[in-house]
Amino acid sequence: DNNILKFNIDNNLSPENRFAVITVNYIDDFGRVAEAYLKVTQYLNRDPALAILKEFEYVKSLAVGTVTENIYVQGIIIADGKTANFPKNRYTIQDVATNKAIVFDSGANLDITRGDNVKLWLIGTENTAVTEGNFTYNVFTSVGESSILEKNKNAILNIPEIYIKDLTDDMLFSLVTLKD
């Protein structure tokens, strides 16, 4: 209308970004047919109510970089950002079912403590590779207070008992009890 293009859009309710190419054909001021292409990216909706629960194994396999999926994990806080074994404000969260853990970091002191059952929202965080010695692991950084979707105090974690010989790299950062 009056040389103005108008588009009606709606929220992106899918769990991924959406892409489209808009092709515009028109006659220019010299009577020639002109063509223009507009690539449009509609980012996923960052509504926490639309976040999807993912398994720790899936989250551990995410590529390094910004997490663009509207996902969260749920587990028990094992390291609460205050342990001397980690840098300040570095946390671990462990899955109750599989006993796998992921590491995350915050620029702020989050109001969570060891034993809290937490839903950790990962969209917008950075999955960063950290190398210590000859071992590399991933840390989710840029975690803020808004990343804690829910927390419940004094959750129950059944700590698995395991022999040293049965430890694997998958158990790194998980809380286990050593047998014998």
Side-chain angles (χ1 to χ4, degrees), residues 69-82:
E69 294 179 65
N70 194 359
I71 59 175
Y72 72 95
V73 293
Q74 183 168 0
I76 308 294
I77 298 298
I78 302 303
D80 63 3
K82 300 173 187 103

Side-chain angles (χ1 to χ4, degrees), residues 25-85:
N25 294 309
Y26 60 96
I27 298 178
D28 68 11
D29 293 338
F30 301 103
R32 298 175 296 195
V33 175
E35 196 169 70
Y37 300 95
L38 304 169
K39 181 178 179 184
V40 178
T41 302
Q42 186 181 29
Y43 292 97
L44 58 94
N45 192 330
R46 288 190 176 213
D47 182 350
L50 300 175
I52 298 169
L53 174 64
K54 290 291 186 174
E55 299 292 328
F56 277 57
E57 191 65 35
Y58 176 82
V59 170
K60 289 175 85 166
S61 72
L62 290 174
V64 169
T66 303
V67 177
T68 59
E69 294 179 65
N70 194 359
I71 59 175
Y72 72 95
V73 293
Q74 183 168 0
I76 308 294
I77 298 298
I78 302 303
D80 63 3
K82 300 173 187 103
T83 178
N85 292 325

Side-chain angles (χ1 to χ4, degrees), residues 96 109 174:
V96 175
N109 186 7
S174 297

Side-chain angles (χ1 to χ4, degrees), residues 63-66 103 125-131 136-142:
V64 169
T66 303
V103 180
T125 63
E126 293 290 326
N127 186 9
T128 307
V130 174
T131 301
T136 301
Y137 61 96
N138 288 10
V139 176
F140 290 87
T141 62
S142 304

Side-chain angles (χ1 to χ4, degrees), residues 71-136:
I71 59 175
Y72 72 95
V73 293
Q74 183 168 0
I76 308 294
I77 298 298
I78 302 303
D80 63 3
K82 300 173 187 103
T83 178
N85 292 325
F86 280 136
K88 184 179 179 189
N89 294 333
R90 179 136 325 149
Y91 300 79
T92 59
I93 183 171
Q94 185 167 330
D95 182 17
V96 175
T98 65
N99 293 310
K100 293 185 180 188
I102 61 171
V103 180
F104 64 98
D105 200 273
S106 177
N109 186 7
L110 300 175
D111 185 29
I112 52 178
T113 58
R114 190 174 182 190
D116 288 353
N117 186 342
V118 170
K119 287 184 179 179
L120 180 65
W121 195 24
L122 295 173
I123 189 170
T125 63
E126 293 290 326
N127 186 9
T128 307
V130 174
T131 301
E132 293 180 7
N134 61 357
F135 187 77
T136 301

